[in-house]
Amino acid sequence: QVQLVQSGSELKKPGASVKVSCKASGYTFTSYTMNWVRQAPGQGLEWMGWINTNTGNPTYAQGFTGRFVFSLDTSVFTAYLQISSLKAEDTAVYYCAREGPHYAIDSWGQGTLVTVSS
Amino acid sequence: DIVMTQSPDSLAVSLGERATINCKSSQSVLYFSNSKNYLAWFQQKPGQPPNLLIYWASTRESGVPDRFSGSGSGTDFTLTISSLQAEDVAVYYCQQYYSTPRTFGQGTKVEIK
């Protein structure tokens, strides 16, 4: 079955960087786009963008350009989210989520909590 | 960007009663070439990732109980839980996947009355 397993929680200081991984299994990794979704504490879901797992081409939503980078390592079926120059307002749970054969998101990682605090 | 607006923000329903959540998009998410509405519904329980319930506005994902149903077309959509169960307490989100950015509604919290 489709499974997305993300890396563990991170505690970072302002100005630092973090890299979140999302390892896929149970399907052909390069056949489905990978989305990234942010959920700040007590808030709703915010689409950050996606990466074409076949070409490696990323698309970023407004507000997620510059400090946010999506990347892949197809040899290990893994997608990455890197955030640089972390700010307190980046504190959130970050989800990877597969866009399935019906174009809706059909599978989610368990989420990675990134806490930014001095 | 397509703005998704859900109503109400929260609702309390007695066990076994019907719960209805509305979702309105700022522009149509109906793709005329295939007559499909690019609208999904998700359920999120506390401490868990969201879970896909409905796609194409009305197609139930495999394994989702049939008390969950989706309806609507164009810009107005509804998620109905026909007989609320205790395990349905959650926040529900609609999302359009007609265009980028893929936008979510603000969420509707469903509780037991």
Side-chain angles (χ1 to χ4, degrees), chain A residues 37 39 43-45 47 50 95 99 102-106 108-110, chain B residues 40 42 44 48-50 52 55-56 61 93 95 97 100-102 104:
Chain A
V37 176
Q39 188 167 40
Q43 302 301 307
L45 303 170
W47 188 78
W50 61 15
Y95 293 101
E99 190 154 291
H102 305 293
Y103 304 106
I105 289 175
D106 67 352
W108 296 73
Q110 82 275 20
Chain B
F42 298 93
Q44 186 178 31
Q48 296 184 20
L52 176 65
Y55 59 93
W56 297 141
E61 173 72 329
Y93 296 92
Q95 186 208 22
Y97 50 102
T100 56
R102 305 285 205 239
F104 291 92

Side-chain angles (χ1 to χ4, degrees), chain A residues 5-108:
Chain A
V5 178
Q6 297 184 226
S7 48
S9 298
E10 302 268 9
L11 174 60
K12 295 290 185 180
K13 294 190 184 305
S17 295
V18 69
K19 193 169 187 177
V20 176
S21 66
C22 170
K23 185 172 177 61
S25 61
Y27 71 99
T28 303
F29 180 68
T30 53
S31 292
Y32 300 98
T33 298
M34 191 69 78
N35 294 258
W36 288 95
V37 176
R38 181 170 78 177
Q39 188 167 40
Q43 302 301 307
L45 303 170
E46 187 174 16
W47 188 78
M48 301 172 64
W50 61 15
I51 185 165
N52 183 316
T53 54
N54 190 40
T55 65
N57 183 46
T59 297
Y60 300 97
Q62 206 165 14
F64 295 100
T65 56
R67 297 189 299 117
F68 300 82
V69 176
F70 307 145
S71 61
L72 304 170
D73 184 342
T74 56
S75 69
V76 290
F77 316 118
T78 300
Y80 300 95
L81 163 65
Q82 184 160 1
I83 312 171
S84 58
S85 302
L86 283 162
K87 307 174 183 180
E89 50 264 42
D90 294 324
T91 294
V93 175
Y94 292 85
Y95 293 101
C96 60
R98 186 189 86 152
E99 190 154 291
H102 305 293
Y103 304 106
I105 289 175
D106 67 352
S107 298
W108 296 73

Side-chain angles (χ1 to χ4, degrees), chain A residues 47 50, chain B residues 1-2 27 29 38 96-103:
Chain A
W47 188 78
W50 61 15
Chain B
D1 297 2
I2 298 177
Q27 61 191 75
V29 298
Y38 284 57
Q96 63 80 20
Y97 50 102
Y98 180 88
S99 66
T100 56
R102 305 285 205 239
T103 42

